[in-house]
Amino acid sequence: MTFSPELEARFEKFLTKYPADRKRSAVIPMLVYAQDETEAITQELIEEVAKRCGVTPLQVEEVVGFYSMLHKKPQGKYHVQICTNISCLLVGGAELWEQATKKTGIGHKQNSADGRISLEEVECIGACSWAPAVQINYDFYHFVTPGQLDKLLDGLAAGKKPEEITEVQKVSC
Amino acid sequence: MRYNPPSPLETPVLSRRFRLPNSQSIDTYLATDGYKGFEKATGMTQDEIIGEVKTSILRGRGGAGFPTGMKWGFVPRTSPKPKYIVVNADESEPGTCKDRLLMEFDPHQLIEGVLIAGLAVGAQQGYIYIRGEFRYLIGVMDKAIDEAYAKGYLGDNILGKGIKFNLATHSGAGAYECGEESALLESFEGKRGNPRIRPPFPAVAGAYQCPTILNNVETFCAVPSIILNGGAWFAGLGTPKNGGTRMFCLSGHVNKPGVYELPMGFNLMRMINEVGGGIRGGKKLKAVVPGGSSCPILKADECDLAMDYDTVAAAKSMLGSGGVVVLDEDTCMVNFALRIMRFYAHESCGWCIPCREGTTWLKKLLTRFHEGQGQRSDIVMIGDLSKNMLGRTFCPLGDAAAMPTIAIVEKFREEFEAHLDGKPCPYENKGSYFSNSGLAA
Amino acid sequence: MADLVKFTINGQELEAPAGMLVIEAAKQNGIEIPSFCYYEGYSLQAACRMCLVEVEKMPKMQVACTLQVGAGMVIRTETDQVQAARKSTLEFLLTNHPLDCPVCDKGGECELQDMVFRYGAGESRYTETKIHVDEQQWSPVVFYDAPRCILCFRCVRACDEGMGVSALGVVNRGAMSLIAPNKGDHLECDECGQCIDICPVGALTSGAYRYQTRPWEMEHVGTICTHCSDGCKTTLGVRNDEIVRGNNRDRSGVNGEFLCIKGRYAFDFSESTERLQSPMIRVNGKLEEVSWSKALDTIAKKFAEVKAKGGKFGVIGSNQTTNEENYYLQKFARQGLGTNNIDHQRTGDVVTLVDALSGTTGRLAKTADFYESQAVLVIGADLAVEHPFLAFQIRANFRHHEAHVYAVTADTVREDLVATRSVRATRGEELASLEALREALAAEKNLVIVFGDSIKGDKVRSLVAFGETLGIPVSYCALVDYSNSRGAIDMGLVAELNPGYHASGAAGASIDEMLAANDLAALWVVGSNPLQHTKLAASRAFVVVQDLFLTETAQRADVVLPSASAYEKNGTVTNGCGEVQRLKRASATMGTKTDLEIIGLIAKEMGLAPLMGPWLPETVYAEIRKSVKGYDIPLPLVTIGAQQTAPVNGRVGVDSRPDLIRSSHDNLFTSGTLGRYSTVLNSVIEGRQSR
């Protein structure tokens, strides 16, 4: 299985980070980075990671189902994650989630027909003091208002990249 | 602080660089006493370093509050095995968002803390286990690590003193359970994040079964200042048994939510009213979760207390991870209990029966109850099932699910009764859950 | 041994070595602490929380499966608090466990049922929906019903730690966690069924047994597996004279609860519809069914005629018949027919080993040595495939005692996983690699050397010479193929050897020589298939075959006699380590007779009954005790458990015939003729071919 040169370089770094006989440590980091490129964790990827880390495919499989970020089904190009855990819940996180599902017509861990958007109701993403929070792929949005969420979803549906939706600023670098 | 304005009541120690421009860069760091603590530590013996940390009365900032110096002292320094420093940056306790800031705005402080820990126990390799959702922070930390290598603060011959220490980041992939130290180590080794049987504790058999210091980000971040200014100085910032300051994450129904660094023992009501600007919309306080979702909730009349480990424990709750979640009078406690249980059921690793089955059962029961399909006997059962998990699960996750639930049922029983007989949730449309966005922006 | 400490359980003052687990210390003293996940011999889990106990001065209840006893510890295992905790854990378990006990194979012998009976609630408070997952078939042998699974992880450990196969894992998280096979939707493994056997509930069930019977409808007969030479005890579940299950849950026998696919499921050849059930005589070139008396009469007359004419006899015995049958057969051949032309297919060079060890005692390895010895050297054998139990013993020895394992083999073997040193050597050239290991081996406390059929003749002598110069106690095992291959040699089914390794004097013909002899007048084959790949040179020879099936050899016979299988007779067999064990009759096939009885009846027809004596296993065994060196072991002792025999201690006095030694190298799913008639074994083979 071949990957982009950037990902290959990252893999190479992963495999040297850990003691030589502890390559298994690289399994999870490899999967979590690789799935962004392969769109999902395929059987082929499982076998490739197993081979590179010196474990069995079953040992990789065991990990895939355990971690909530790892997914065997492709997600939308923009994976919109809305936190509804306690701090967000208290300030409108659940309502944002309702709003998103109604607006897009898709549910938890579902993809829009054009594959641009997928939704996930997520557990605490560590933005409690700046709630309600939304994460699109790896970018954080804080103090998200219903109006801002509308703009984000409209913009993404219209083919814009998140950074082109200038009315709403992501906060993380 | 970039995400919320500071409060004049803060005592910025760990967060003192947050407001500086380019606070992430090693140049800013070096210009503000950066790596001075480490340099000082290179002239100290291992016992002196650990002694200083003990003197500081620094207690683990992840939630359990175990004295850090004592934990370091458990590492068998004569062990022929390699030793490891592992940073728990798997911040995922609901209500907690401080480690993110510490890494984002002062990554070198964390690196320096890790380096000092390495000196203290003779470790030459460290890893920062960062939760996968914080992908951008892996970039921040990797950049800082590269800078530290370039300036000779990491590598095989640090500062030309023959000190060897290598540091790398490690990405998680979404599992709250991996915040538990032994589960984190399993995950770090590439396995399912199930907790390990303890003893042996990580100090003896941690990463790769080697002696390991494993602490929370905030704990390591406190160490450079402790070494530089002395343990006694740090201890003096807090209360007698609770040294230093604490990053409190104020969230929920306050006017000015945010992460604030306050001295240990800071009064909770003052935190809400003076730091947090009081309850938003002029509403009344109903309850506070004092240290992340796993801590038993405090009713409004229990909140006039000092926020240190012992005082909060005396109030039958926990200081926990510093996540202070404030609930106003219109919050539905049944729904709140349900959301907490949904979380724990989702995050239960499945290893032990009481947690795996108990959280799932309670989630289903509370869902039904909140929808108006509850029976009077369910109220007793919610508490009963929680108590059947409490103290019987493999790791603290079961307790974390049980404790807040037991407290909510005991303290807000009338709210459960108000949901009986098919009645709609009395708090629906009260506006408590609607966004206060923009208030603090 | 660790110091003993005193502690109390439920007020009883007890003593145990410091560091022993509370659950074990309790068990040793007759106090049961319930558990699902704790399993002796496998790694600790502390997952089921059933073994919580109260310990004084400890604030929370403790799990007895990870807590070690300490001096002065005060433990209570049956307090109200403890019982309430067990009850609640069971209540939690039953939330998602289906209550389909009436149709569950495990019903009646289910640990969860028993536990609920003792500690559980009479009624359920659970009214929410249960999680459902459809049942999956993972192999011809293994089915998984996920909702019944209580996630005790016994199966995962049995496969990983016990078998070294690691074909089972855990997927998903929390209440959605499932056990999963290594190949996505199916298993690729040894199909040993240990995972099914160890499952406390009906989550893992076997294709061979499921929906066959209720457990209480079976009778249980402990006998010895007839396949390989490891000599595993298998407890057969029998209903209406039909074997429906094999396991060894009572852990009796040399194998504890271990069984491979053959011991656990491949009893099914015995129930095959292709079993012969009537004697047959060739009439006009075709075999026709006849009565026993007609068949016996025909044989007796023909044998008497050949004997009278001084014609050449050939007698070929079996690797799977009992010691009594073997002894009786060779006695008949030698004394009744007056020929030394008696042999069996030789599979390992035990003879040279016994000769090379002449003058020593206790140098033949016992099965237990593979588990207890500090070091094991495996030469030229793929134990995990050909001798699964010995391989299991070695892995357990590594896990429990950190044994040092050395493997000198042509290909990679599973022992490599636990080996201190693995050396690859061409088959037959293995000994050349030994000098390089000398230093390491000499530093061991003791050593077991086990070798396959590539080491024979002078190579065995060289190997013993090497072992004897290591300066440490060494014991040896020459691997042989089947359940009584060793007994066949001991009992003198060898042309040049009488029972007990005594030279027979006038050497007779070997199998190869018999088959090649143009002048052979009569060939008598008992439980063997020498004509599978070879033609009988003497085209006019009168051939008598006793067998279960119409084998290639039986098809050539003039008279075929249907014999009983090993599971249909009493007697003794001797495993590869020379341990004699007792077969007990479990079932019967109509129309068959045991080989012992058949031989006896032929003798009677020939008027040789006074010479041969009664054909009762006990009577023949009594004669063996008297006349075969090393077998003077009272039968009750053999009934209790394996007893190692000590063959002649002295030079054997004949040249062994390494040229005649040929192991069939059966793998996990083949077993000579018997394997061809096992539905289970064939279904696995076919399943793999179709993938």
Side-chain angles (χ1 to χ4, degrees):
Chain A
M1 203 174 177
T2 52
F3 304 101
S4 67
E6 298 76 35
L7 193 57
E8 282 291 356
R10 194 174 283 282
F11 279 7
E12 205 180 306
K13 223 175 149 189
F14 284 161
L15 290 172
T16 53
K17 269 184 190 183
Y18 310 100
D21 56 342
R22 301 291 185 174
K23 286 191 170 52
R24 189 173 180 178
S25 274
V27 168
I28 294 164
M30 270 194 185
L31 289 170
V32 82
Y33 278 91
Q35 66 176 2
D36 292 342
E37 190 167 299
T38 60
E39 295 187 343
I41 295 177
T42 59
Q43 191 56 36
E44 193 188 7
L45 178 61
I46 287 175
E47 283 168 21
E48 183 69 21
V49 169
K51 195 173 80 191
R52 294 192 184 205
C53 299
V55 299
T56 65
L58 179 61
Q59 285 171 323
V60 178
E61 186 77 51
E62 286 191 294
V63 161
V64 173
F66 189 89
Y67 295 93
S68 47
M69 286 175 72
L70 302 179
H71 52 92
K72 287 181 153 184
K73 211 182 80 179
Q75 294 172 336
K77 187 167 171 54
Y78 298 102
H79 187 52
V80 180
Q81 302 146 79
I82 299 174
C83 174
T84 63
N85 209 307
I86 52 173
S87 296
C88 287
L89 173 83
L90 292 174
V91 290
E95 285 74 13
L96 289 181
W97 171 249
E98 283 269 300
Q99 179 191 334
T101 54
K102 280 201 184 119
K103 188 172 180 65
T104 57
I106 55 176
H108 180 57
K109 291 193 180 181
Q110 291 180 349
N111 302 353
S112 62
D114 61 3
R116 284 193 56 82
I117 299 174
S118 53
L119 290 185
E120 185 175 354
E121 185 186 6
V122 291
E123 298 297 352
C124 184
I125 51 176
C128 317
S129 292
W130 318 292
V134 170
Q135 217 182 348
I136 299 180
N137 295 345
Y138 294 105
D139 293 328
F140 280 85
Y141 295 82
H142 289 168
F143 298 120
V144 178
T145 64
Q148 288 174 328
L149 182 64
D150 264 348
K151 290 198 176 88
L152 280 171
L153 292 172
D154 284 338
L156 294 175
K160 288 187 187 170
K161 293 177 181 168
E163 52 270 30
E164 292 165 358
I165 307 167
T166 48
E167 302 95 315
V168 193
Q169 288 295 310
K170 65 176 181 174
V171 293
S172 48
C173 17
Chain B
M1 312 217 182
R2 271 216 347 229
Y3 300 150
N4 58 270
S7 162
L9 294 167
E10 284 186 79
T11 306
V13 176
L14 280 67
S15 63
R16 67 183 184 278
R17 294 188 190 86
F18 285 12
R19 276 158 263 182
L20 301 176
N22 284 327
S23 65
Q24 298 164 321
S25 85
I26 195 163
D27 295 331
T28 308
Y29 192 66
L30 289 170
T32 52
D33 290 340
Y35 291 108
K36 289 269 169 58
F38 169 67
E39 285 183 44
K40 186 176 170 189
T42 59
M44 296 164 71
T45 66
Q46 295 185 330
D47 286 334
E48 282 167 353
I49 298 172
I50 293 174
E52 211 60 62
V53 176
K54 281 183 178 165
T55 306
S56 75
I57 325 182
L58 173 64
R59 293 170 67 169
R61 299 299 195 230
F66 194 83
T68 304
M70 200 188 288
K71 196 173 190 178
W72 292 13
F74 291 150
V75 172
R77 271 178 268 156
T78 53
S79 165
K81 292 181 175 175
K83 295 165 195 75
Y84 293 100
I85 310 294
V86 177
V87 180
N88 185 345
D90 190 48
E91 179 166 70
S92 34
E93 174 81 7
T96 318
C97 51
K98 61 191 175 62
D99 297 338
R100 209 182 125 191
L101 287 186
L102 287 166
M103 288 187 280
E104 182 168 347
F105 295 117
D106 199 353
H108 285 284
Q109 181 171 242
L110 174 60
I111 297 172
E112 187 180 356
V114 171
L115 275 167
I116 295 168
L119 288 178
V121 298
Q124 297 184 332
Q125 176 71 54
Y127 295 99
I128 307 172
Y129 184 110
I130 301 177
R131 70 178 290 191
E133 292 87 342
F134 290 170
R135 173 68 64 88
Y136 79 99
L137 283 181
I138 294 175
V140 173
M141 286 311 310
D142 279 344
K143 193 172 161 220
I145 288 169
D146 287 346
E147 286 179 333
Y149 271 106
K151 295 266 185 190
Y153 289 100
L154 285 170
D156 291 344
N157 185 15
I158 295 171
L159 302 176
K161 293 183 178 186
I163 298 165
K164 180 180 173 185
F165 197 90
N166 288 295
L167 183 62
T169 55
H170 177 98
S171 175
Y176 167 77
E177 176 61 12
C178 295
E180 195 277 338
E181 60 179 11
S182 67
L184 182 146
L185 290 168
E186 284 289 290
S187 175
F188 171 70
E189 293 182 11
K191 303 171 197 165
R192 297 165 63 79
N194 294 322
R196 293 177 178 172
I197 293 168
R198 295 179 301 169
F201 290 92
V204 175
Y208 310 129
Q209 296 300 314
C210 296
T212 300
I213 285 189
L214 205 166
N215 281 117
N216 177 256
V217 170
E218 188 185 347
T219 313
F220 281 114
C221 287
V223 171
S225 301
I226 289 170
I227 297 301
L228 193 60
N229 303 317
W233 164 82
F234 188 79
L237 296 172
T239 60
K241 281 185 176 171
N242 294 264
T245 57
R246 181 90 214 245
M247 304 287 286
F248 287 105
C249 318
L250 204 50
S251 71
H253 297 143
V254 287
N255 281 311
K256 292 193 246 174
V259 175
Y260 303 100
E261 186 174 6
L262 300 166
M264 274 288 195
F266 198 91
N267 182 281
L268 178 55
M269 284 312 295
R270 279 188 72 202
M271 196 186 297
I272 295 166
N273 291 323
E274 298 175 29
V275 179
I279 308 294
R280 61 164 201 177
K283 290 187 182 178
K284 280 197 216 134
L285 176 68
K286 179 183 267 186
V288 176
V289 176
S293 63
S294 55
C295 303
I297 202 154
L298 299 171
K299 287 180 91 162
D301 60 8
E302 296 172 304
C303 290
D304 185 12
L305 85 179
M307 288 291 275
D308 62 52
Y309 291 101
D310 307 307
T311 311
V312 182
K316 297 200 166 66
S317 186
M318 300 185 302
L319 191 63
S321 60
V324 179
V325 187
V326 179
L327 284 63
D328 74 14
E329 57 187 324
D330 289 334
T331 311
C332 172
M333 296 311 295
V334 176
N335 192 34
F336 196 72
L338 164 61
R339 189 63 190 86
I340 289 177
M341 195 52 72
R342 268 183 62 198
F343 170 68
Y344 286 109
H346 184 259
E347 299 300 335
S348 171
C349 76
W351 185 252
C352 77
I353 293 167
C355 174
R356 179 180 74 229
E357 306 295 344
T359 54
T360 308
W361 184 354
L362 280 162
K363 178 190 81 173
K364 289 176 179 173
L365 202 173
L366 282 162
T367 303
R368 173 169 58 77
F369 198 98
H370 186 246
E371 283 168 356
Q373 302 298 310
Q375 294 172 4
R376 192 162 294 274
S377 60
D378 289 335
I379 304 175
V380 179
M381 197 154 79
I382 293 164
D384 202 31
L385 296 178
S386 303
K387 283 173 193 155
N388 284 346
M389 289 196 284
L390 190 67
R392 297 176 190 174
T393 54
F394 187 102
C395 83
L397 195 145
D399 293 344
M403 288 186 298
T405 312
I406 293 168
I408 291 171
V409 176
E410 276 175 5
K411 294 179 182 180
F412 298 96
R413 192 187 165 96
E414 68 284 357
E415 292 199 20
F416 284 82
E417 288 177 351
H419 282 75
L420 287 172
D421 307 319
K423 288 196 285 268
C425 174
Y427 295 92
E428 215 154 289
N429 303 321
K430 285 253 186 166
S432 179
Y433 291 143
F434 290 105
S435 179
N436 66 349
S437 306
L439 280 173
Chain C
M1 183 147 173
D3 293 339
L4 291 177
V5 291
K6 285 188 166 55
F7 55 95
T8 73
I9 299 183
N10 302 338
Q12 241 181 295
E13 295 228 358
L14 302 171
E15 247 184 14
M20 179 176 259
L21 298 172
V22 169
I23 197 167
E24 276 298 318
K27 186 157 82 180
Q28 282 195 351
N29 289 284
I31 300 164
E32 189 195 345
I33 299 176
S35 74
F36 291 115
C37 71
Y38 174 75
Y39 208 86
E40 199 188 332
Y42 291 130
S43 63
L44 303 178
Q45 312 286 290
C48 76
R49 320 306 284 175
M50 279 301 287
C51 68
L52 285 167
V53 295
E54 272 179 45
V55 182
E56 254 181 31
K57 295 185 186 132
M58 293 194 183
K60 292 202 301 188
M61 285 187 282
Q62 302 289 311
V63 275
C65 70
T66 58
L67 183 69
Q68 300 176 348
V69 291
M73 210 176 244
V74 178
I75 302 157
R76 296 187 187 90
T77 71
E78 293 291 340
T79 62
D80 290 348
Q81 186 191 197
V82 168
Q83 300 223 12
R86 289 174 191 164
K87 182 173 168 181
S88 92
T89 300
L90 290 166
E91 183 182 36
F92 282 140
L93 262 189
L94 292 181
T95 59
N96 281 311
H97 186 91
L99 297 175
D100 61 348
C101 310
V103 293
C104 177
D105 280 328
K106 206 75 177 186
E109 49 186 17
C110 168
E111 292 180 41
L112 179 58
Q113 263 185 348
D114 293 350
M115 220 78 101
V116 173
F117 183 79
R118 272 180 69 186
Y119 302 106
E123 56 187 52
S124 172
R125 293 191 289 174
Y126 187 76
T127 56
E128 321 304 331
T129 52
K130 289 182 179 237
I131 300 169
H132 179 75
V133 181
D134 286 341
E135 190 184 45
Q136 302 160 37
Q137 180 174 7
W138 287 344
S139 81
V141 169
V142 187
F143 286 70
Y144 179 58
D145 190 353
R148 288 179 187 160
C149 177
I150 62 169
L151 295 167
C152 66
F153 315 116
R154 284 189 195 176
C155 55
V156 175
R157 285 171 285 160
C159 190
D160 180 22
E161 301 167 21
M163 296 307 297
V165 171
S166 306
L168 295 174
V170 188
V171 295
N172 300 342
R173 185 168 82 191
M176 304 309 289
S177 299
L178 299 169
I179 303 299
N182 57 353
K183 297 288 169 186
D185 62 349
H186 69 277
L187 268 174
E188 203 171 291
C189 66
D190 286 6
E191 308 282 0
C192 67
Q194 298 257 96
C195 56
I196 299 166
D197 200 42
I198 206 169
C199 180
V201 295
L204 290 164
T205 52
S206 93
Y209 171 71
R210 64 206 310 266
Y211 306 136
Q212 294 284 317
T213 182
R214 303 307 289 166
W216 51 84
E217 293 174 339
M218 288 183 287
E219 285 175 74
H220 301 280
V221 182
T223 188
I224 304 302
C225 173
T226 193
H227 293 283
C228 89
S229 65
D230 290 353
C232 293
K233 179 161 169 281
T234 176
T235 302
L236 300 174
V238 183
R239 192 190 55 185
N240 299 336
D241 255 348
E242 185 192 352
I243 306 168
V244 287
R245 184 171 80 177
N247 68 24
N248 205 36
R249 294 300 300 160
D250 67 0
R251 302 189 188 183
S252 56
V254 291
N255 50 312
E257 65 193 18
F258 174 89
L259 283 174
C260 74
I261 182 172
K262 294 177 196 170
R264 199 179 299 284
Y265 304 114
F267 55 76
D268 60 350
F269 72 87
S270 188
E271 308 293 340
S272 166
T273 52
E274 295 182 59
R275 282 287 297 276
L276 298 174
Q277 290 189 287
S278 167
M280 291 187 284
I281 289 185
R282 190 168 298 280
V283 180
N284 300 326
K286 263 184 72 185
L287 286 169
E288 284 181 7
E289 293 190 357
V290 295
S291 68
W292 272 98
S293 54
K294 171 103 190 274
L296 293 166
D297 180 59
T298 308
I299 296 166
K301 283 194 174 123
K302 188 72 186 179
F303 278 4
E305 183 189 315
V306 173
K307 188 182 172 188
K309 286 185 182 163
K312 186 184 268 188
F313 278 102
V315 181
I316 298 174
S318 169
N319 277 282
Q320 275 151 323
T321 46
T322 64
N323 287 323
E324 291 74 11
E325 290 167 335
N326 295 348
Y327 180 88
Y328 209 60
L329 180 64
Q330 67 79 33
K331 182 177 174 184
F332 193 156
R334 292 195 162 101
Q335 296 173 32
L337 302 178
T339 179
N340 266 335
N341 297 345
I342 179 159
D343 204 358
H344 74 291
Q345 179 52 57
R346 310 175 191 194
T347 59
D349 200 351
V350 180
V351 177
T352 307
L353 180 63
V354 168
D355 188 47
L357 289 174
S358 137
T360 66
T361 50
R363 311 305 290 276
L364 292 169
K366 294 191 286 292
T367 303
D369 295 341
F370 286 79
Y371 176 65
E372 287 162 4
S373 178
Q374 200 207 319
V376 181
L377 168 62
V378 181
I379 303 175
D382 191 349
L383 289 185
V385 168
E386 297 183 29
H387 295 277
F389 176 56
L390 294 182
F392 181 85
Q393 288 279 82
I394 293 172
R395 285 190 297 274
N397 194 1
F398 172 77
R399 269 194 339 277
H400 298 157
H401 312 132
E402 295 166 351
H404 295 168
V405 180
Y406 301 83
V408 183
T409 57
D411 300 307
T412 55
V413 288
R414 200 177 297 163
E415 284 64 47
D416 294 344
L417 291 173
V418 297
T420 305
R421 294 273 297 276
S422 284
V423 183
R424 297 289 90 93
T426 312
R427 194 175 142 76
E429 307 295 323
E430 293 94 343
L431 299 188
S433 309
L434 292 188
E435 276 308 321
L437 297 175
R438 177 181 286 278
E439 202 179 328
L441 293 171
E444 302 290 357
K445 210 166 79 199
N446 47 36
L447 175 71
V448 171
I449 298 178
V450 55
F451 55 93
D453 72 335
S454 61
I455 306 299
K456 50 191 173 185
D458 288 342
K459 287 190 180 125
V460 176
R461 292 184 202 285
S462 306
L463 178 60
V464 170
F466 171 81
E468 296 307 284
T469 52
L470 287 174
I472 56 165
V474 180
S475 57
Y476 303 84
C477 175
L479 293 167
V480 289
D481 278 7
Y482 297 112
S483 61
N484 208 25
S485 293
R486 175 64 186 274
I489 309 168
D490 289 358
M491 294 303 128
L493 288 190
V494 180
E496 64 272 21
L497 289 175
N498 282 339
Y501 299 84
H502 294 292
S504 61
S510 68
I511 290 188
D512 293 5
E513 289 153 0
M514 293 178 212
L515 300 186
N518 288 316
D519 60 343
L520 193 72
L523 179 67
W524 183 11
V525 182
V526 177
S528 183
N529 189 15
L531 301 182
Q532 186 179 3
H533 303 297
T534 314
K535 254 183 88 90
L536 183 63
S539 56
R540 302 184 60 186
F542 175 72
V543 178
V544 175
V545 173
Q546 298 173 206
D547 209 300
L548 281 66
F549 302 103
L550 198 62
T551 61
E552 288 81 354
T553 307
Q555 286 169 36
R556 163 66 186 82
D558 294 287
V559 184
V560 178
L561 301 170
S563 59
S565 78
Y567 302 134
E568 296 166 339
K569 59 174 86 159
N570 294 318
T572 64
V573 288
T574 306
N575 70 8
C577 286
E579 290 151 340
V580 58
Q581 304 188 86
R582 198 157 183 193
L583 287 187
K584 277 181 81 178
R585 192 176 74 84
S587 62
T589 295
M590 202 194 289
T592 64
K593 295 184 189 296
T594 67
D595 290 303
L596 187 65
E597 185 178 0
I598 297 171
I599 300 164
L601 289 170
I602 296 172
K604 185 172 161 235
E605 285 291 320
M606 291 178 71
L608 296 171
L611 166 78
M612 292 298 293
W615 52 84
L616 299 170
E618 294 78 9
T619 319
V620 180
Y621 185 76
E623 195 174 331
I624 292 171
R625 279 186 66 182
K626 272 187 278 174
S627 57
V628 182
K629 168 84 179 160
Y631 275 78
D632 190 10
I633 302 162
L635 207 48
L637 276 185
V638 179
T639 307
I640 294 166
Q643 303 292 328
Q644 199 186 29
T645 58
V648 64
N649 181 3
R651 297 302 303 269
V652 169
V654 297
D655 290 331
S656 81
R657 296 282 306 273
D659 56 309
L660 297 173
I661 291 169
R662 284 188 295 271
S663 164
S664 58
H665 293 290
D666 280 306
N667 64 31
L668 280 168
F669 311 119
T670 64
S671 184
T673 299
L674 300 185
R676 292 157 64 192
Y677 294 93
S678 163
T679 311
V680 161
L681 295 181
N682 288 321
S683 67
V684 172
I685 295 167
E686 285 158 20
R688 297 203 169 185
Q689 282 166 349
S690 69
R691 278 221 163 77

